[in-house]
């Protein structure tokens, strides 16, 4: 968790409340003089030109004692109003911000360069890093898409400081506007400061996993039915869902350690007791979700093994049926070939004696006809006996 919010007086001394613009961070020293001259302009605008704020700023608001006091339209206005507020908190929501916007935020709130670099590049693993009095949290939100029956993952970066919360969203989930409305409807919770906002964001991300778990459970039930039905396309579906579960594990498993790390710092950072209870509840939910995801992956592995076994059995049965069909076909061919040979013998004898050559001695022999008939019968009988003994007939 971030440091406990100091009193207005101490915060004014520590952060230079009335002279905050003079603070110089690593980023501000690294920026050019031109950037310093335009720091008060909306991010992405020229020094003397357009003043339109980029669309990546979803919403920015200032809160005091759990109540919204203003909703600045630009980053520059947010900076100015926060400097003028003796005890307040800024909550800035960004969606796929530009590098200029992140550099502006880094300069104003003294964000660590490594954290800003991670927020620029995205594609980070879930983690929690502490840089002085600022927490940098990376979360992987998820949502279940009913039509394609797949899980969509999005990345969320959160900077939590003594008097500010900055969310950088890379993707559609989670719905941070709902989180903001929930917190604004609970001023007693919101007045606990940035730590309470971090809790609400963590809770929203974890709650978003529940529909995903239910959707995946339904998918696994359908896959089991398809496996035993012998659907040939089920292997592809198992593989795709297994890959999604790997991503789901990468999103949920680190959260368990992150929340236990936050709980370990409750005493050191004097976290409010009520907030401690809320965070423990989130940790319990994350542990439950993580265990279910592990169970899904194990179940998919077992289903894939069963499917492979069933496919092998089906292939063996088909090969056996083909072998049996081939054997029966061979037997029929043997019979046909045997009878063809037997019938060919008398045809051969008859053909020879049907040539009517003058010099054929058997043509004028008195026993020529019986001899030919007997020869045909002997050849046919001999062939029949031979084929019978070889089980061709």
């Amino acid at each position: 968790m971030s440091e406990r919010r100091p009193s207005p007086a101490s915060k004014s001394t520590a952060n230079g409340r009335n002279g905050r613009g003079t603070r110089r961070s690593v980023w501000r020293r690294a920026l050019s003089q031109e950037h310093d001259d335009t720091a008060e302009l909306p991010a992405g605008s020229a020094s003397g030109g357009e003043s339109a704020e980029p669309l990546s700023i979803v919403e920015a608001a200032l809160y005091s004692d759990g109540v919204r006091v203003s909703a600045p339209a630009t980053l520059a206005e947010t900076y100015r109003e926060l400097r003028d507020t003796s005890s307040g908190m800024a909550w800035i929501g960004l969606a796929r911000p530009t590098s200029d916007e992140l550099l502006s935020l880094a300069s104003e709130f003294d964000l660590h360069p490594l954290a800003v670099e991670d927020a620029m590049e995205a594609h980070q693993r879930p983690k929690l890093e502490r840089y002085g009095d600022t927490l940098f949290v990376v979360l992987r939100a998820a949502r279940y898409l009913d039509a394609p029956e797949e899980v969509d993952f999005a990345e969320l970066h959160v900077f939590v400081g003594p008097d500010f919360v900055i969310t950088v969203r890379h993707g559609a989930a989670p719905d941070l506007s709902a989180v903001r409305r929930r917190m604004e409807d609970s001023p007693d919770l919101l007045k606990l400061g940035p730590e309470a906002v971090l809790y609400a964001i963590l809770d929203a991300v974890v709650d978003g996993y529940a529909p995903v778990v239910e959707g995946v459970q339904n998918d696994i039930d359908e896959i089991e039915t398809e496996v035993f039905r012998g659907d040939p396309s089920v292997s592809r579906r198992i593989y795709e869902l297994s890959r999604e579960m790997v991503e789901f594990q990468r999103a949920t498993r680190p959260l368990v350690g992150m929340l236990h790390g936050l709980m370990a710092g409750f005493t050191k950072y004097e976290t409010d007791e009520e907030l401690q209870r809320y965070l423990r509840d989130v940790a319990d939910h994350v542990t439950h979700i993580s265990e279910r995801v592990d169970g899904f992956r194990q179940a998919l592995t077992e289903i894939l093994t069963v499917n492979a076994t069933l496919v092998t059995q089906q292939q063996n049965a088909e090969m056996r049926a083909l072998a049996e069909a081939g054997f029966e076909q061979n037997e029929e061919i043997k019979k046909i070939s045997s009878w063809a040979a037997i019938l060919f013998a008398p045809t051969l004898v008859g053909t020879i004696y049907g040539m009517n050559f003058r010099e054929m001695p058997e043509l004028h022999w008195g026993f020529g006809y019986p001899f030919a008939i007997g020869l045909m019968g002997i050849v046919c009988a001999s062939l029949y006996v031979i084929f019978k003994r070889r089980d061709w007939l």
Side-chain angles (χ1 to χ4, degrees):
M1 298 298 298
S2 62
E3 297 283 356
R4 187 179 182 183
R5 299 178 69 237
S7 63
S10 61
K11 182 179 291 187
S12 177
T13 303
N15 292 336
R17 166 59 61 195
N18 297 323
R20 186 171 183 171
T22 62
R23 184 177 59 188
R24 288 292 184 263
S25 66
V26 175
W27 280 105
R28 178 162 296 197
R29 290 195 300 270
L31 298 177
S32 63
Q33 183 62 37
E34 178 182 359
H35 189 278
D36 268 341
D37 293 340
T38 61
E40 293 300 319
L41 292 173
S45 63
S47 59
E50 300 177 359
S51 60
E53 189 75 15
L55 296 179
S56 57
I57 300 179
V58 178
E59 188 173 5
L62 263 66
Y63 300 89
S64 179
D65 293 327
V67 178
R68 180 190 286 221
V69 294
S70 67
T74 65
L75 290 179
E77 291 178 11
T78 305
Y79 303 157
R80 183 168 54 252
E81 292 186 18
L82 183 60
R83 296 189 194 111
D84 295 338
T85 304
S86 61
S87 60
M89 175 188 71
W91 184 352
I92 303 171
L94 305 174
R96 296 186 179 90
T98 64
S99 58
D100 288 341
E101 288 173 321
L102 288 176
L103 289 174
S104 175
L105 290 166
S107 175
E108 177 66 24
F109 295 109
D110 202 17
L111 306 181
H112 196 279
L114 294 178
V116 176
E117 182 180 358
D118 287 345
M120 286 181 180
E121 296 179 356
H123 304 293
Q124 304 294 320
R125 64 175 181 82
K127 62 180 180 179
L128 184 149
E129 300 285 350
R130 181 178 294 279
Y131 299 101
D133 59 357
T134 302
L135 276 179
F136 176 60
V137 181
V138 179
L139 302 172
R140 294 275 289 173
R143 59 175 181 162
Y144 186 81
L145 305 179
D146 292 322
E149 293 186 333
E150 62 183 26
V151 183
D152 177 50
F153 295 94
E155 194 166 326
L156 175 66
H157 299 183
V158 185
F159 295 90
V160 182
D163 57 353
F164 66 87
V165 176
I166 302 169
T167 59
V168 180
R169 189 157 50 90
H170 296 274
D175 183 7
L176 293 181
S177 61
V179 176
R180 191 184 290 268
R181 288 194 300 271
R182 172 196 171 189
M183 293 299 289
E184 290 178 352
D185 291 339
S186 305
D188 289 340
L189 181 60
L190 184 56
K191 71 180 181 180
L192 296 178
E195 297 174 336
V197 176
L198 176 60
Y199 149 73
I201 294 173
L202 287 169
D203 189 51
V205 171
V206 174
D207 285 347
Y209 293 151
V212 178
V213 168
E214 296 304 320
V216 171
Q217 181 64 66
N218 291 334
D219 287 346
I220 292 178
D221 293 340
E222 293 175 0
I223 286 174
E224 289 177 343
T225 302
E226 293 173 1
V227 164
F228 290 103
R229 188 189 300 160
D231 190 335
S233 63
V234 70
S235 297
R236 180 184 181 89
R237 189 176 181 187
I238 295 173
Y239 173 73
E240 291 175 348
L241 190 56
S242 296
R243 290 189 60 183
E244 290 177 353
M245 289 305 96
V246 171
E247 289 295 318
F248 207 179
Q249 275 188 324
R250 291 173 180 171
T252 58
R253 185 173 292 177
L255 276 179
V256 178
M258 289 166 55
L259 286 166
H260 281 86
L262 286 175
M263 290 189 293
F266 282 166
T267 303
K268 180 179 179 180
Y269 298 105
E270 301 180 2
T271 304
D272 183 85
E273 292 185 3
E274 187 67 14
L275 195 56
Q276 292 182 27
R277 298 188 187 98
Y278 287 136
L279 286 170
R280 289 193 188 98
D281 181 66
V282 175
D284 290 340
H285 290 171
V286 168
T287 302
H288 176 69
I289 294 293
S290 181
E291 290 174 351
R292 292 201 64 181
V293 173
D294 292 342
F296 288 157
R297 190 174 181 187
Q298 181 64 31
L300 287 169
T301 301
E302 295 173 355
I303 291 173
L304 189 60
T305 301
V306 171
N307 182 63
T309 302
L310 293 176
V311 169
T312 302
Q313 290 177 350
Q314 183 179 0
Q315 291 176 344
N316 291 339
E318 292 175 354
M319 292 297 294
R320 185 165 55 252
L322 289 174
E324 292 174 355
F327 177 77
E328 293 176 359
Q329 186 177 10
N330 289 337
E331 293 298 316
E332 295 298 326
I333 292 175
K334 288 179 181 179
K335 291 180 181 181
I336 295 173
S337 301
S338 300
W339 286 113
I342 292 172
L343 295 176
F344 177 73
T347 303
L348 177 61
V349 175
T351 302
I352 292 174
Y353 286 101
M355 291 185 293
N356 295 325
F357 291 117
R358 291 180 179 274
E359 302 300 329
M360 293 182 67
E362 292 86 356
L363 290 178
H364 303 287
W365 184 33
F367 296 99
Y369 177 72
F371 173 76
I373 296 298
L375 181 61
M376 292 178 188
I378 292 172
V379 174
C380 289
S382 300
L383 290 174
Y384 181 81
V385 171
I386 293 172
F387 291 139
K388 193 69 175 178
R389 287 181 176 178
R390 295 185 177 182
D391 294 329
W392 283 36
L393 293 173

